[in-house]
């Protein structure tokens, strides 16, 4: 009986305490502590919402307190908005009587959507403050955002509610054709460095037209967006050598999330798609970052795709995926791809000189270089690989074998590696009798191969593939295949180094 009475009393106490929804508080005395005194919201494009940033507010006193007001300095006119302890307040701008227990804290989440016209015209900063309490108890946390103006390109929305789209095979995709006589933007086939561009959906270059990118152009693609070259359309990227680390003359294609957390996140946007029948593509000093496929190159109408002094990083699928294409690559660097940095598939004609192909993707299915002459399920399934030539190149990565040659009979399969450093281990002897991998005894396909030696790249994680004179690639090239300047415009000496970079002492 005594035990039953005790449990009954405990139950009543629990019920009474659970019914209490308020607690006694005292007014805040201006002694709040903050996780930071200024919140820097990273650069955003005009009228594009920012990421959400966090401020933690601490009550270090022994009293439960009430903060009379938490509000933005510009009140309801502020371009910032907040959530305080999970509540929205008055339009996310003003909050009254916020309770905070002793020795406890509350989270405030802040974001913004602002126009370039809202920013200070001299530095393009948009600022405000979070104000806590008022009078002699007033405390402030500063808010700062850099607003960047841009040219926005996107599909039209029609009066009937439908949106412009592109016919791709038997399907329609979200996209639009670039217009050389656009009434707002002018010639959309000529991209300049005056402002960055932000593209929504796939921007298509019409048949028979050429899209050009001037030195210093910056193009940002939204999720599931990219660039498509139609039949008989051409791509002309005209970047030039830069003199600083800001790559001021490089053309850059990347995603539209500018926050540091998205700096090296793969798969933020779609691809640069050179479709079957597109033609006469010339790419120089282009950097492609964080796409699903950096360059998707299909049968390019018998013409050569020239890719020079170009870098492709952090592709969720492929850096370059070529299908029955014809490519000439010089001073090309491709790193980190979910499946392959370079995939030359379904036959084609390829020549790469002084190129660096590396893959450190954390997956056993990744590879730096894949070459094959088939496409499963296609008609015909096999096509001629008339040439796959690699001169003075580096093929390396984090896994045992970073090169795959997949040959199907019934079609030509012509390949040659001259003066290349290749990571290819045969620890289990499974390739000992495979005729495609006889690096030391097959002069028809392999000459002066350096196998499984560390090129000692400067900083792989930062996509810096410079080498110095301690590298296994130092002075191992053949002058017959010399490209006189490296990817940075440095003069190569003789004998040249392998890969896209001429050796230099690493910076301190």
């Amino acid at each position: 009986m005594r035990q039953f009475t005790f449990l009954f009393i405990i139950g009543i106490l629990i019920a009474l305490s659970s019914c209490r929804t308020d607690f006694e508080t005292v007014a805040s005395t201006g002694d709040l502590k903050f996780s930071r005194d200024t919140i820097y919201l990273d650069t955003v494009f005009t009228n594009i919402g920012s990421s959400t940033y966090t401020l933690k507010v601490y009550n270090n006193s022994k009293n439960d307190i009430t903060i009379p007001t938490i509000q933005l300095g510009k009140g309801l006119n502020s371009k910032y908005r907040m959530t305080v302890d999970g509540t929205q307040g008055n339009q996310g701008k003003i909050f009254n009587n916020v309770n905070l227990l002793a020795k406890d804290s509350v989270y405030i989440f802040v974001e913004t959507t602002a126009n370039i016209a809202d920013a200070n015209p001299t530095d393009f900063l948009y600022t405000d403050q979070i104000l806590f309490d008022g009078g002699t108890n007033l405390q402030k946390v500063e808010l700062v955002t850099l607003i960047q103006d841009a040219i926005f390109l996107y599909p039209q929305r029609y009066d009937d509610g439908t949106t412009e789209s592109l016919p791709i095979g038997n399907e329609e995709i979200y996209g639009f054709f670039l217009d050389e006589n656009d009434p707002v933007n002018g010639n959309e086939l000529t991209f300049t460095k005056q402002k960055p561009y932000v593209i929504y959906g796939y921007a298509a270059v019409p048949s028979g037209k050429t899209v050009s990118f001037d030195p210093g152009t910056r193009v940002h693609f939204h999720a599931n967006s990219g660039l498509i070259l139609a039949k008989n359309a051409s791509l002309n990227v005209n970047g030039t050598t830069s003199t600083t680390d800001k790559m001021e003359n490089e053309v850059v294609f990347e995603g539209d999330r500018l926050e540091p957390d998205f700096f090296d996140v793969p798969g933020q946007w779609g691809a640069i798609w050179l479709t079957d029948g597109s033609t006469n593509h010339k790419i120089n000093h282009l950097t492609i970052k964080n796409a699903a496929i950096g360059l998707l190159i299909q049968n390019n109408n018998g013409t050569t795709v020239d890719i020079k002094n170009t870098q492709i990083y952090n592709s969720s699928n492929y850096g370059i995926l070529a299908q029955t294409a014809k490519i000439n690559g010089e001073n090309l660097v491709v790193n980190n791809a979910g499946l392959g940095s370079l995939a030359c598939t379904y036959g084609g004609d390829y020549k790469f000189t002084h190129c660096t192909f590396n893959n450190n993707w954390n997956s056993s299915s990744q590879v730096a270089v894949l070459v094959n002459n088939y496409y499963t399920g296609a008609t015909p399934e096999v096509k001629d690989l008339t040439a796959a030539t690699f001169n003075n190149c580096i093929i390396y990565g984090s896994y045992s074998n970073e090169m795959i040659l997949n040959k199907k009979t019934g079609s030509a399969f012509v390949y040659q590696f001259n003066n290349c450093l290749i990571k290819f281990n045969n620890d289990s002897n499974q390739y000992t009798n495979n005729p495609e991998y006889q690096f030391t005894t097959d002069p028809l396909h392999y000459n002066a191969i350096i196998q499984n030696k560390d090129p000692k790249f400067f900083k792989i994680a930062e996509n810096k593939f410079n080498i110095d004179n301690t590298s296994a690639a130092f002075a191992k090239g053949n002058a017959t295949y010399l490209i006189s300047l490296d990817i940075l415009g440095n003069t190569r000496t003789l004998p040249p180094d392998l890969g896209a970079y001429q050796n230099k002492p690493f910076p301190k």
Side-chain angles (χ1 to χ4, degrees), residues 98-152:
V98 178
N99 294 325
L100 185 52
L101 294 173
K103 304 297 183 181
D104 202 356
S105 60
V106 64
Y107 281 100
I108 297 179
F109 299 102
V110 185
E111 57 188 11
T112 187
T113 304
N115 190 291
I116 190 68
D118 301 314
N120 186 322
T122 59
D123 56 17
F124 304 108
L125 292 177
Y126 180 70
T127 61
D128 201 345
Q129 299 170 323
I130 305 176
L131 306 180
F132 297 83
D133 208 337
T136 58
N137 293 330
L138 178 64
Q139 293 180 270
K140 303 176 182 179
V141 172
E142 304 292 333
L143 301 175
V144 181
T145 308
L146 177 64
I147 311 296
Q148 188 168 4
D149 200 6
I151 296 171
F152 293 87

Side-chain angles (χ1 to χ4, degrees), residues 428-447:
S428 61
N429 294 318
Q430 68 181 105
Y431 300 104
T432 301
N433 297 317
N434 188 317
E436 311 304 338
Y437 303 108
Q438 303 305 309
F439 299 104
T440 60
T441 60
D442 180 8
L444 179 64
H445 297 106
Y446 297 101
N447 295 286

Side-chain angles (χ1 to χ4, degrees), residues 338-383:
L339 297 175
S341 294
L342 171 69
C344 300
T345 69
Y346 204 26
D349 187 327
Y350 310 98
K351 181 181 179 182
F352 298 99
T353 306
H354 279 294
C355 295
T356 299
F357 303 105
N358 188 81
N359 203 348
N360 276 61
W361 193 275
N362 187 23
S363 167
S364 58
S365 62
Q366 60 95 330
V367 67
V369 171
L370 164 68
V371 179
N372 73 35
N373 64 342
Y374 64 91
Y375 188 96
T376 302
T379 304
E381 190 169 273
V382 180
K383 285 193 175 182

Side-chain angles (χ1 to χ4, degrees), residues 294-305:
L295 287 171
L296 172 55
I297 306 174
Q298 297 174 314
N299 179 22
N300 36 279
N301 205 25
T303 61
T304 299
V305 180

Side-chain angles (χ1 to χ4, degrees), residues 81-102:
R81 52 193 176 273
M82 302 184 293
T83 300
V84 177
D85 201 21
T87 65
Q88 299 297 316
N90 186 351
Q91 302 179 43
K93 318 289 186 180
I94 302 172
F95 300 78
N96 296 313
N97 299 320
V98 178
N99 294 325
L100 185 52
L101 294 173

